[in-house]
Amino acid sequence: MRKIVILTGAGISAESGIETFRAEDGLWAQHRVEDVATPEGFMRDPELVVNFYNARRAQAAEVAPNAAHHALAQLETEHDGEVVVITQNVDDLHERGGTKALYHMHGHLKGALCASCDHRWPAPMVMAAGDPCPSCGAPAARPDIVWFGEMPYDMDTLADHISQADIFVAIGTSGNVYPAAGFVAEARRAGAHTIEFNLEPSAVGNQFAEHRIGPASETVTAWVAEVLAT
Ligand code: OAD
């Protein structure tokens, strides 16, 4: 029973209508990473940061999972081995598509985090800079997003899953951000077969044994059908 570990990035949500980060007209062309995705940026201008993620949260609520999200949920239900999805995405399209074994390694838009005491609670649709923490009362609510310079969530558990993978798959991620970009190397060391799904080879594309080039809604759906047929 083959264990399948799947890493996803912004490319899997692109066909749902959420822009990726590094496309020519992507989020990082419109906003400075240092301003909206670092703890220093939040300390400088919390309102700018909170509003940036309010806009992302509103956008995520308006879109729907696409065929690739649904195919991964079907794989989890019907494959006769374990399937684990690790996403770098902060939207909830995997959950809404039906995936259950899911790790949000970069946090998620539905969460709020206290910058003072680390308490976590469900985020309102619209956060305001200076919202009080329901636990300690500090005016320090922030989105529960892992910013540059911060440690992604669940790293020990993710390393365990990757070390047990028979098949490791990366879907719609550019391979620019570590530690996620290093997962393929870990999976290879563990003896997994590795497959990359993307519109083009990623920055770590040469480390994958196999490439499926094309939109995820088509390539992932076709691959899931193949896996379930064998
Ligand atoms: P990127 O924007 O860096 O990369 C998106 C990837 O998806 C690119 O390689 C595209 O070629 C590919 N892609 C686009 N549309 C696709 C489609 N329809 N089907 C298949 N592939 C497609 O996004 P990530 O790799 O997810 O972190 O970025 C990683 C992290 O960098 C994010 O989690 C975020 C960002 O800064 C933080 O904010 C901390």
Side-chain angles (χ1 to χ4, degrees):
M1 285 193 276
R2 294 168 303 166
K3 172 161 175 161
I4 304 176
V5 176
I6 299 162
L7 172 69
T8 67
I12 198 169
S13 295
E15 290 168 79
S16 292
I18 299 184
E19 63 270 64
T20 64
F21 294 96
R22 293 178 179 79
E24 250 170 53
D25 55 350
L27 279 172
W28 294 157
Q30 301 166 47
H31 307 269
R32 279 164 37 101
V33 178
E34 304 86 328
D35 290 342
V36 298
T38 63
E40 296 76 19
F42 179 69
M43 273 161 63
R44 261 196 315 273
D45 192 343
E47 198 176 338
L48 177 84
V49 175
V50 161
N51 287 340
F52 173 76
Y53 290 101
N54 283 342
R56 309 273 77 74
R57 195 178 299 107
Q59 181 189 42
E62 277 171 15
V63 303
N66 65 54
H69 297 103
H70 290 301
L72 295 185
Q74 184 194 4
L75 183 68
E76 181 181 19
T77 309
E78 296 181 19
H79 175 58
D80 62 0
E82 193 182 358
V83 176
V84 172
V85 176
I86 303 168
T87 190
Q88 299 165 85
N89 298 342
V90 294
D91 64 54
D92 60 353
L93 295 181
H94 281 301
E95 299 84 309
R96 285 163 56 203
T99 289
K100 304 246 169 350
L102 175 69
Y103 295 90
H104 273 284
M105 65 178 290
H106 287 170
H108 64 142
L109 289 164
K110 291 206 152 166
L113 165 69
C114 176
S116 177
C117 77
D118 282 348
H119 178 68
R120 290 191 170 75
W121 68 99
M125 270 311 279
V126 182
M127 290 179 76
D131 269 354
C133 167
S135 178
C136 75
R142 55 166 273 188
D144 190 5
I145 305 284
V146 176
W147 289 325
F148 287 93
E150 297 182 324
M151 186 63 85
Y153 289 131
D154 304 314
M155 284 308 293
D156 290 346
T157 310
L158 301 187
D160 286 346
H161 281 305
I162 293 163
S163 72
Q164 296 155 5
D166 298 298
I167 302 175
F168 174 79
V169 163
I171 303 168
T173 178
S174 63
N176 282 298
V177 176
Y178 286 80
F183 287 175
V184 60
E186 285 178 43
R188 279 171 67 108
R189 270 197 296 279
H193 177 59
T194 53
I195 318 175
E196 177 168 84
F197 292 76
N198 204 308
L199 298 177
E200 58 189 16
S202 75
V204 292
N206 60 356
Q207 299 186 36
F208 287 84
E210 192 184 335
H211 290 266
R212 306 274 178 120
I213 301 288
S217 64
E218 295 171 18
T219 54
V220 173
T221 312
W223 171 71
V224 167
E226 271 172 46
V227 173
L228 294 179
T230 54

